[in-house]
Amino acid sequence: MPPHAGEPAESRTLAIMVDNEPGVLARVVGLFSARGYNIESLTVAETDKSAHTSRITVVTRGEPNIIDQIKSQLDRIVSVRNVIDVTRDPAGVQRELALVKVRSTGADRIEALRVSEIFRAKVIDTTLESFIFEMTGASDKVDAFIDLVRPIGLVEVSRTGVLSIHRGPELDRVSTADAAASA
Amino acid sequence: MTTTSNIAQIHPASEPASLVGIPMTGAEMVVRAMKDHGVDTLFGYPGGAVLPIYDALFSDEDVRHILVRHEQGAGHAAEGYARSTGKVGCALVTSGPGATNMVTPLADALLDSIPMVVITGQVATHLIGTDAFQECDTVGITRSCTKHNWLVSSVDELSAILHEAFYVARSGRPGPVVVDIPKDVQFATGMYLPPERSPKRSKRTVRHVDAARIAEAAELMATAQKPVFYTGGGVINAGPRASEALRALVRETGFPITSTLMGLGAFPAPDKQWLGMLGMHGSWESNHAMHDCDLMICVGARFDDRVTGRLDAFSPNSKKIHIDIDPSSINKNVRVDVPIIADAAEALEKLLVAWRNRAKKAKPPSIKAWWDQIEGWRKRKGFAYRPSHELIKPQYAIERLYELTRGKDVYITTEVGQHQMWAAQYFHFDKPNHWMSSGGLGTMGYGLPAALGVQAAHPDALVIDIAGEASVQMTMQEMSTAVQHRLPIKIFILNNEWMGMVRQWQQLLHGERYSHSYSHALPDFVKMAEAFGCVGIRAEKPDELDTKIVQMINEPGPVLFDCRVAKEENCFPMIPSGKPHNEMILADTFVGDEIDDDGKKLV
Ligand SMILES: Cc1ncc(C[n+]2csc(CCOP(=O)(O)OP(=O)(O)O)c2C)c(N)n1
Ligand SMILES: [Mg+2]
């Protein structure tokens, strides 16, 4: 039987350090679609110009054996330098940015502002009948904020997807190949 | 626990071709890089987008170019060359249709881990993305059927990419790569840096075999009562050292050994410890041993569905040691107890030392009872078939081919179908790199061009493509290549007038409704051979078979042998889809209702 087969699926955040070269995102995304893995969110940007490094952060969902497979399959891609399972990392930090448009008048406007204060969301645009809030936080916080402003008059949401980094002074550097080798 | 040390050194990619290089055109760099990487033979087909490279080849005397008749042929020939030599196979094709015709061999080489560098021409840089004549998105199309690919954007990065391409193709788990070179880059002049001076761009992973895991494996081996070695193509890929270490380890332990289709030849088949190939059409004894063993030592194989049968019933009572160079193969389909991520040669050598040390300390238990059990399975004679005086049985044809070519330097390639399985069952190999078959992708049309590649690498060897009449029609135009380049391959067709393997499945799984599987309107193969300038031979009766096979062997040029065999023979033993190993069916117990509805959904 495949390892851990039947265990419940879980959500995991993977930080994938890649050579910043044409087509690299297609390689990573193509692997997910070709092997039938999920992508719940995806972000990518160059992070170190001089070293030609980009960081791709993927939130994926799967049973633990599938997650292990995803990590070692990613590691096979020549342009992938290393893969870090941020969820597994106690020192991993995850954040997301959301732009949230809310349309409301009268008392609802006050309520919208009150909720935004609780979540430390910033007002970045306002008209007589609407606000755009900018908020950052862990994904579940963003979800909670959106749920609270929905009845007030949520119009539209734009989210970046999850970004992640390792707490402390060191560089992220744990290879998935090593993780896969340990039973 | 971290068990391997992984040193990934990444060098900056930005170094321009410095002044120390040798000036030449991009096209010349391609030829030069091939030579620097030891390529003596190139399989290719010209076209507009590679003309500068063909120009550079025109006056070249070191690289032998073999002109094929279809780019797929070039790819499979390069695979055959690679698999029979252990070197990187190399092919050159034009843009657009040249590149798309190469997709099948790339996918084939990826699944079977064959090192191959394919150079494709591309339209000029300024035309890319304009739907120019013979433009296609080669790197896009081949991304998922290569280990890696590159679109070269400037002549300055060309030599580094070419060296990198050879490195990636042969390192770690080998595989195919594509370098797509726009025509203007081929014309442009730049500085060529030789491999040793070229900047390294991709990760270099150095793995050290984990001594603790080796010790753990040796301990399991020294206490097992029913052990079995299960080996695969990874042992062949790891080179002759791996096969030698395997032989030594198997002999010293006295354990039985079986192998996948891809691994045949790593251990000598005539040996008493050899159980035959395992899997869907594997031997009765090997599949039973896999099912009943208490320790499985898997080396360079990947627990493919053709091997495991029903996963939840696969070898239920065994501990499993898995040696593989690719971490993604570990725990993919089957959970293993002792994973060892390493090159097969290195791991086997270390395991041999560990076994010796362990066996000195305390004598391992006798496994005589296990061998007795295996002998019982052997007595069942799973490969027995009903002989005939009237008709040539396909199994008999392979047996005679094997007997009559013994002692010669024989290389066998195959197409895909029943004949492929019979070749694996009844032809026996005692050396690695002598058996070339499309295992993972199962590509009909592979065998004939692969034989060309093998013959090009081994001009004096006897190279035989064991073929089916349907498969051979997929790439038979390459007979012309054989004639042109004096590659005296022998194409031995087991002609049953059916897509036999399809017919067998329709008989077993689809109520004997033989939908579109009969080989209608077959060409007269003897005349066809003659039309190509080959020799055609036909055998129809068992009593003429030997003489004609000998005639084929003695023929100095390429031969097409039309061996008319019994038409409705099935390939047994067979593990029906969806069944565990110990529910194999045999020719003499077969009734027809062995496969249930769930099994029918599997391929
Ligand atoms: C390119 C390709 N198309 C289709 C198949 C499916 N297929 C597998 S075996 C087979 C029949 C092969 O017939 P033949 O070459 O006569 O061999 P036989 O089984 O009769 O020995 C077919 C169609 C395949 N493996 N490859
Ligand atoms: Mg046939």
Side-chain angles (χ1 to χ4, degrees):
Chain A
M1 281 249 271
H4 328 288
E7 287 180 31
E10 46 189 72
S11 184
R12 295 277 193 89
T13 305
L14 305 178
I16 309 161
M17 268 19 114
V18 299
D19 296 336
N20 183 19
E21 58 186 24
V24 63
L25 182 62
R27 288 183 207 284
V28 170
V29 173
L31 187 148
F32 277 81
S33 66
R35 294 190 182 261
Y37 306 142
N38 287 312
I39 294 185
E40 293 188 340
S41 105
L42 172 78
T43 65
V44 56
E46 188 172 56
T47 49
D48 184 343
K49 215 177 183 66
S50 62
H52 289 260
T53 313
S54 286
R55 185 179 181 115
I56 299 176
T57 310
V58 175
V59 181
T60 182
R61 216 183 155 69
E63 294 162 17
N65 65 313
I66 300 292
I67 303 282
D68 287 346
Q69 261 299 300
I70 293 175
K71 288 190 284 185
S72 41
Q73 291 293 352
L74 282 169
D75 227 35
R76 286 175 76 188
I77 298 177
V78 170
S79 337
V80 168
R81 296 187 184 174
N82 62 331
V83 183
I84 299 147
D85 186 342
V86 182
T87 331
R88 279 268 178 98
D89 178 357
V93 185
Q94 300 183 48
R95 287 293 178 271
E96 209 183 339
L97 185 145
L99 300 178
V100 181
K101 187 181 287 182
V102 180
R103 183 171 191 157
S104 55
T105 49
D108 279 349
R109 271 177 84 76
I110 318 273
E111 178 60 8
L113 278 179
R114 211 181 57 82
V115 174
S116 73
E117 264 165 42
I118 299 172
F119 283 85
R120 278 183 239 145
K122 263 198 305 196
V123 177
I124 57 166
D125 178 70
T126 178
T127 68
L128 283 177
E129 47 175 343
S130 70
F131 290 117
I132 296 173
F133 296 110
E134 176 195 305
M135 105 145 254
T136 47
S139 297
D140 53 346
K141 288 272 159 38
V142 176
D143 291 342
F145 176 67
I146 292 167
D147 284 346
L148 282 172
V149 295
R150 191 183 308 278
I152 303 172
L154 180 72
V155 177
E156 199 178 357
V157 181
S158 177
R159 298 170 73 151
T160 56
V162 176
L163 292 176
S164 73
I165 203 157
H166 187 89
R167 274 183 228 272
E170 297 88 23
L171 192 68
D172 287 351
R173 263 222 187 282
V174 182
S175 169
T176 40
D178 299 341
S182 59
Chain B
M1 187 181 81
T2 298
T3 61
T4 56
S5 78
N6 180 352
I7 308 156
Q9 285 176 299
I10 291 135
H11 299 258
S14 55
E15 276 161 49
S18 51
L19 297 170
V20 286
I22 313 155
M24 60 180 86
T25 68
E28 287 164 345
M29 287 184 190
V30 172
V31 178
R32 180 58 184 266
M34 286 178 188
K35 290 187 210 172
D36 282 350
H37 290 277
V39 175
D40 50 20
T41 311
L42 170 65
F43 305 89
Y45 206 91
V50 281
L51 285 182
I53 301 174
Y54 271 86
D55 213 16
L57 283 168
F58 185 68
S59 50
D60 193 89
E61 287 177 356
D62 303 330
V63 178
R64 180 184 187 196
H65 179 273
I66 295 192
L67 178 69
V68 293
R69 298 298 181 268
H70 182 296
E71 287 86 353
Q72 183 187 355
H76 293 318
E79 287 187 87
Y81 176 92
R83 195 137 186 99
S84 67
T85 58
K87 298 201 288 187
V88 176
C90 213
L92 169 63
V93 298
T94 193
S95 66
T100 56
N101 278 346
M102 185 53 79
V103 168
T104 300
L106 288 169
D108 193 272
L110 185 66
L111 276 182
D112 284 346
S113 307
I114 313 288
M116 173 156 85
V117 171
V118 175
I119 309 286
T120 54
Q122 182 54 276
V123 300
T125 315
H126 72 279
L127 290 173
I128 290 179
T130 66
D131 300 323
F133 179 62
Q134 295 196 326
E135 179 187 358
C136 74
D137 175 12
T138 300
V139 286
I141 290 170
T142 61
R143 191 172 289 131
S144 61
C145 55
T146 51
K147 192 174 165 188
H148 197 65
N149 59 16
W150 296 261
L151 169 62
V152 183
S153 57
S154 143
V155 73
D156 296 332
E157 57 177 34
L158 181 58
S159 68
I161 288 178
L162 289 166
H163 300 320
E164 206 60 20
F166 279 93
Y167 172 80
V168 170
R170 64 168 185 263
S171 66
R173 179 176 179 172
V177 299
V178 165
V179 183
D180 195 28
I181 314 176
K183 198 170 178 181
D184 54 324
V185 174
Q186 298 171 33
F187 275 122
T189 300
M191 290 296 178
Y192 177 84
L193 284 174
E196 36 330 320
R197 296 226 303 279
S198 181
K200 312 280 179 292
R201 297 165 39 121
S202 60
K203 56 189 166 196
R204 300 288 198 263
T205 304
V206 183
R207 293 188 185 288
H208 298 289
V209 183
D210 184 341
R213 285 279 158 88
I214 293 283
E216 216 179 312
E219 186 59 35
L220 284 177
M221 287 166 66
T223 48
Q225 315 223 314
K226 298 173 166 197
V228 65
F229 279 99
Y230 150 45
T231 60
V235 181
I236 313 270
N237 273 337
R241 244 180 72 202
S243 295
E244 267 160 44
L246 178 70
R247 286 158 196 233
L249 186 61
V250 171
R251 297 225 167 94
E252 289 195 24
T253 55
F255 294 175
I257 172 168
T258 177
S259 141
T260 65
L261 182 80
M262 295 307 292
L264 297 179
F267 189 82
D271 197 285
K272 281 203 288 296
Q273 285 167 260
W274 172 246
L275 304 185
M277 177 180 80
L278 84 170
M280 183 173 269
H281 293 292
S283 75
W284 182 256
E285 49 271 32
S286 67
N287 284 324
H288 275 86
M290 288 287 280
H291 185 271
D292 282 18
C293 66
D294 68 357
L295 178 67
M296 184 182 294
I297 307 141
C298 170
V299 191
R302 58 188 174 92
F303 296 93
D304 163 271
D305 55 83
R306 281 290 176 276
V307 159
T308 60
R310 202 174 89 203
L311 266 185
D312 60 6
F314 174 68
S315 194
N317 303 315
S318 61
K319 292 246 185 220
K320 296 171 187 78
I321 298 166
H322 188 184
I323 300 172
D324 204 291
I325 197 158
D326 179 359
S328 79
S329 290
I330 307 267
N331 288 339
K332 181 167 70 177
N333 302 328
V334 170
R335 201 193 60 78
V336 299
D337 302 279
V338 184
I340 298 172
I341 298 171
D343 175 73
E346 202 188 334
L348 286 166
E349 282 166 2
K350 297 228 155 106
L351 200 49
L352 182 60
V353 174
W355 164 266
R356 283 177 184 156
N357 292 339
R358 174 58 182 75
K360 253 183 253 154
K361 265 189 240 146
K363 203 169 168 310
S366 156
I367 55 164
K368 179 164 181 313
W370 177 229
W371 272 113
D372 289 345
Q373 201 178 345
I374 290 171
E375 284 312 324
W377 290 318
R378 271 186 175 154
K379 287 215 182 77
R380 185 63 185 78
K381 299 217 179 302
F383 288 137
Y385 59 92
R386 201 162 294 135
S388 167
H389 291 296
E390 300 306 312
L391 298 169
I392 302 176
K393 286 293 183 107
Q395 302 93 327
Y396 176 74
I398 304 289
E399 283 179 337
R400 295 314 303 156
L401 188 65
Y402 173 61
E403 287 304 331
L404 295 169
T405 55
R406 271 182 101 153
K408 299 195 157 42
D409 188 21
V410 192
Y411 291 79
I412 300 290
T413 70
T414 75
E415 308 291 339
V416 172
Q418 290 180 319
H419 62 275
Q420 177 189 28
M421 293 300 121
W422 285 317
Q425 293 172 338
Y426 298 92
F427 209 98
H428 305 295
F429 300 89
D430 56 6
K431 287 195 248 6
N433 304 98
H434 282 62
W435 160 254
M436 272 62 48
S437 191
S438 170
L441 197 65
T443 311
M444 291 169 70
Y446 164 89
L448 201 171
L452 295 177
V454 176
Q455 189 82 72
H458 309 275
D460 300 323
L462 176 60
V463 182
I464 307 173
D465 168 29
I466 296 180
E469 85 295 334
S471 295
V472 81
Q473 291 184 75
M474 290 212 171
T475 49
M476 64 186 179
Q477 70 280 3
E478 301 303 339
M479 287 169 67
S480 175
T481 310
V483 174
Q484 181 190 343
H485 297 279
R486 299 181 194 285
L487 300 169
I489 59 167
K490 317 297 177 205
I491 305 156
F492 190 81
I493 305 175
L494 293 183
N495 183 349
N496 53 10
E497 293 180 20
W498 285 93
M499 297 175 193
M501 193 56 99
V502 173
R503 191 202 54 71
Q504 176 168 348
W505 280 59
Q506 289 172 332
Q507 181 186 352
L508 268 57
L509 294 129
H510 294 273
E512 303 185 29
R513 290 178 297 279
Y514 299 115
S515 182
H516 303 282
S517 53
Y518 183 68
S519 291
H520 284 284
L522 278 177
D524 178 330
F525 283 115
V526 171
K527 282 194 188 144
M528 188 180 89
E530 288 163 0
F532 273 105
C534 302
V535 170
I537 300 176
R538 178 171 296 126
E540 287 168 303
K541 295 273 170 252
D543 55 13
E544 60 176 348
L545 187 60
D546 279 19
T547 334
K548 297 209 160 161
I549 289 177
V550 171
Q551 186 194 341
M552 172 185 86
I553 297 169
N554 292 337
E555 199 59 60
V559 178
L560 189 72
F561 193 116
D562 183 15
C563 187
R564 297 302 191 96
V565 296
K567 293 179 189 161
E568 265 118 49
E569 196 73 12
N570 281 331
C571 189
F572 288 121
M574 179 176 184
I575 304 179
S577 323
K579 296 279 179 176
H581 278 169
N582 58 351
E583 290 180 35
M584 291 185 92
I585 43 180
L586 290 168
D588 54 359
T589 58
F590 164 62
V591 278
D593 61 353
E594 282 84 353
I595 303 175
D596 55 25
D597 284 346
D598 281 342
K600 287 180 188 165
K601 292 184 202 130
L602 305 170
V603 286

